[in-house]
Amino acid sequence: MAAADLIPVNIVTGFLGSGKTTLLRRLLASPELANTAVLVNELGEVGLDHLLLRHVDESTVVLPSGCVCCALRADLTAAIRDLYSKRERGTIPRFDRLAIETTGLADPAPIIFTLLAEPVLRHHFRVGHVVTTVDAVNGARHLAQHPESVKQVAVADRVVLTKTDLAGPAQAEALRTACRRVNPAAPIFEPAVDPIGPDQLFAGDPADPSGTRQDARRWLGPVAAATPPETGVGQASAHDRDVYAFSVTVDRALDWTAFGIWLTMLLHAHGEDILRVKGLLQVVGVPTPVVIHGVQHLVHPPVHLDGWPTADRGTRLVFIVQKLPRQVIERSLAAFTRLAAVGERVV
Amino acid sequence: MCGLCGVLGTEAHWTDAAGPDSRSGAPPGGRTRRQERLHRVGLANKVLKHYGLTLADWEGNCFVLRTRTGRSAIVQHLTALWPVAERMTGRRCDPLDPQLIAAVERE
Ligand SMILES: [Zn+2]
């Protein structure tokens, strides 16, 4: 099935009390999201009222590998399959988007895994933007103390800073800095200052058929911001100090197969510590850019853009890693991708 | 160590979708599917030889991984390859291992 026919799924995550339900309630009031189905874990606290609201009881089935990210969420599988079959039978409106609100401590990776791996879901749904709420009053402490919080920010495509009106300017700025260091590519929104619409948060991911090349460029993030200092700055401590982002640029086209060998091997050995890898690739023999996107051990189906976002060609990869040495990753990538350049002539 | 292999079975792997049109699954560079599989085996072997392993195409639908002593195992795709390689050799397959990088650089 073509990507355009898949129903986008947006994951809304964030720590306890960070305001994700408030955000979701505000977004769902807008007419653009009238056709959005919603899955929530906790029902009724903040009085979400929506035609297509469903409740799931969080339960995880861990695969025999024992890996935390590669776990199938049985609750989500059942709930989404049920929504989809009702949609097909016409017993509920034909929703064109699904939003999943996670619990505060939930790891978004198994949700992504479930959507990518579950045989029925992967044929009808695709993973859209992940939206993470961070509250300006407690966010810095959560990032320092809880690896779950760091992970939620790392996998975000959009960060929503809440309660900035309750925090001091210095506090808010320190949190912005911390978020940018963990995930420089995700734009930060502050609804207390600037109201945000659903299109800014949910739409425009690389696989969105209504998205533009510029969206893909933005999704990858600014080059300069993607190379922060590797040592801890400011108030960063404990968990978030180990996590940093960097970008790698390659000036020539990559051999897809050599890249695939390298990335599968890298994720095999270090997937737990690669919170995010995304890239716009120039591939030998492919005229247009290929977008790749991985979260820990998982790699989304690659997306082909219809053209380059800017005059710049070449490959740019952005990594968000935990403790892994940047120089070694760069040297390893260069060595592996050169395997195809020598000997074997690429057709 | 895990990845999608256990769940996806024989379904398309992400490395199989790079051609000019991801839906057709055609390999990049105008290679035929057979040429692409041979290219894949050729490149993988440049890495695997450092572990004393060889990979071969098996009838165009999976791969066979072999040790020097003749033990063999079937793998479906690249994600499935590395855990099997580790099990067969008892060595860790890590592309950040400086010795492996140096060996790959000499290729
Ligand atoms: Zn995993």
Side-chain angles (χ1 to χ4, degrees), chain A residues 61-221:
Chain A
V61 173
V62 179
L63 293 183
S65 70
C67 176
V68 182
C69 70
C70 303
L72 210 56
R73 286 269 306 260
D75 55 338
L76 283 180
T77 303
I80 301 173
R81 277 186 175 208
D82 181 56
L83 273 174
Y84 186 75
S85 77
K86 288 191 170 118
R87 176 189 189 264
E88 292 309 288
R89 289 200 308 269
T91 53
I92 58 169
R94 220 179 145 71
F95 59 91
D96 54 19
R97 184 176 291 280
L98 172 64
I100 300 174
E101 185 198 348
T102 75
T103 57
L105 283 171
D107 179 350
I111 301 176
I112 297 170
F113 180 85
T114 303
L115 291 163
L116 292 181
E118 207 283 327
V120 175
L121 302 190
R122 67 196 296 262
H123 283 111
H124 301 295
F125 296 87
R126 66 178 178 80
V127 184
H129 279 159
V130 175
V131 177
T132 300
T133 54
V134 187
D135 98 68
V137 179
N138 300 302
R141 188 168 46 83
H142 291 157
L143 282 171
Q145 291 175 357
H146 301 282
E148 297 91 344
S149 175
V150 179
K151 210 165 158 185
Q152 288 170 351
V153 171
V155 301
D157 296 292
R158 301 281 185 262
V159 171
V160 178
L161 222 56
T162 61
K163 303 184 187 172
T164 44
D165 48 339
L166 303 177
Q171 206 176 13
E173 185 49 34
L175 185 57
R176 267 180 230 118
T177 306
C179 288
R180 274 194 214 104
R181 205 164 53 81
V182 170
N183 186 346
I188 299 175
F189 295 90
E190 297 180 29
V193 184
D194 253 329
I196 27 173
D199 49 328
Q200 288 166 285
L201 292 181
F202 287 170
D205 63 278
D208 183 345
S210 68
T212 65
R213 298 170 191 180
Q214 294 314 318
D215 287 335
R217 185 89 212 155
R218 265 198 298 277
W219 172 79
L220 204 55

Side-chain angles (χ1 to χ4, degrees), chain B residues 47-54 65-69 89 91:
Chain B
V47 178
L48 289 167
K49 73 186 211 193
H50 303 290
Y51 300 95
L53 295 168
T54 51
L65 187 63
R66 286 195 179 86
T67 65
R68 287 200 187 107
T69 57
T89 59
R91 290 171 62 193

Side-chain angles (χ1 to χ4, degrees), chain A residues 43 121 211 235 247 308 328:
Chain A
L43 200 59
L121 302 190
Q235 304 186 327
S247 71
W308 291 88
V328 183

Side-chain angles (χ1 to χ4, degrees), chain A residues 65-71 113 267 271-272 295-298, chain B residues 1-3:
Chain A
S65 70
C67 176
V68 182
C69 70
C70 303
F113 180 85
L267 297 182
E272 274 93 350
V295 172
Q296 300 199 297
H297 292 111
L298 326 172
Chain B
M1 80 175 254
C2 43

